[in-house]
Amino acid sequence: MTTESIAGATVSTQANVYFDGKCVSHSLTLADGTKKSVGVVLPSTLTFNTGAAEVMECVAGGCEYKLAGSDAWQTSGPGDKFSIPANSSFDIRVDQAYHYICHFA
Amino acid sequence: MTTESIAGATVSTQANVYFDGKCVSHSLTLADGTKKSVGVVLPSTLTFNTGAAEVMECVAGGCEYKLAGSDAWQTSGPGDKFSIPANSSFDIRVDQAYHYICHFA
């Protein structure tokens, strides 16, 4: 099951553009104050740093990712989630597109 | 005045990726059924075709645009809007980034 939509969101209209546009997201705030973002990573190999802990949920496409301190690349496809601790990082490899929801823990 | 956020939106989680990622948007549906999208155009010169009529509202950055049938490039910055008829097109030139809301008429 993939999450096709998120209801009741207040959407920040200005996009977050990272890595010269290889990652573009829009920030959302839900009625209960929960913050998320919806975004896409285009073909690239990137390293993302976390402030708060995050859960990345794939909604379309896919990626390979490697958490800090791990040597293992793992795959993530539609419906899959992976968690990144606070103040950490992960590498991500995308061949086509990785569409995601970022949940902040 | 720029529109910094849109409340009460149902957000499609999968991004719309156009022109190899030079334009990325997310589609929104409001409670009354109105559809919009929020997106960004990265540095490029592109031609967009319209189906339905659209109003493009700049929320950050800026662009130059030229409507079909016009020879005049016009500038659009934060808070500015321009309208495109249905079944038409416009050219857009972006130097840095053009963050927008697309309102469907």
Side-chain angles (χ1 to χ4, degrees):
Chain A
M1 277 294 291
T2 59
T3 305
E4 295 185 359
S5 64
I6 296 173
T10 296
V11 183
S12 296
T13 57
Q14 184 169 349
N16 310 302
V17 179
Y18 305 104
F19 301 108
D20 288 329
K22 290 300 182 186
C23 177
V24 173
S25 74
H26 280 85
S27 300
L28 313 179
T29 305
L30 304 189
D32 66 0
T34 305
K35 292 183 184 298
K36 299 181 188 294
S37 67
V38 289
V40 60
V41 180
L42 299 171
S44 55
T45 300
L46 304 171
T47 300
F48 284 94
N49 297 302
T50 58
E54 297 175 4
V55 174
M56 294 290 284
E57 175 182 353
C58 181
V59 295
C63 73
E64 294 176 293
Y65 68 93
K66 186 162 66 74
L67 299 178
S70 168
D71 290 328
W73 286 93
Q74 298 181 268
T75 60
S76 185
D80 294 340
K81 297 179 184 180
F82 63 97
S83 299
I84 310 103
N87 303 308
S88 185
S89 68
F90 65 102
D91 298 329
I92 188 167
R93 290 199 294 224
V94 174
D95 275 340
Q96 297 198 319
Y98 170 68
H99 296 261
Y100 67 87
I101 304 167
C102 178
H103 306 267
F104 295 102
Chain B
M1 277 294 292
T2 59
T3 305
E4 295 185 358
S5 64
I6 296 173
T10 296
V11 182
S12 295
T13 57
Q14 183 170 348
N16 311 303
V17 179
Y18 305 103
F19 302 107
D20 287 330
K22 290 300 182 186
C23 177
V24 174
S25 74
H26 280 85
S27 300
L28 313 179
T29 305
L30 304 189
D32 66 0
T34 305
K35 292 183 182 298
K36 299 181 188 293
S37 67
V38 289
V40 62
V41 180
L42 299 171
S44 55
T45 299
L46 304 172
T47 301
F48 284 94
N49 298 302
T50 58
E54 297 176 5
V55 174
M56 294 290 285
E57 175 182 352
C58 181
V59 296
C63 73
E64 294 176 292
Y65 68 94
K66 186 162 66 75
L67 299 179
S70 169
D71 289 328
W73 286 93
Q74 299 181 267
T75 59
S76 185
D80 294 340
K81 298 180 183 181
F82 63 97
S83 299
I84 310 102
N87 303 309
S88 184
S89 67
F90 65 103
D91 298 330
I92 188 167
R93 290 198 296 225
V94 174
D95 275 341
Q96 298 197 319
Y98 170 69
H99 296 261
Y100 68 87
I101 305 167
C102 178
H103 306 267
F104 295 102

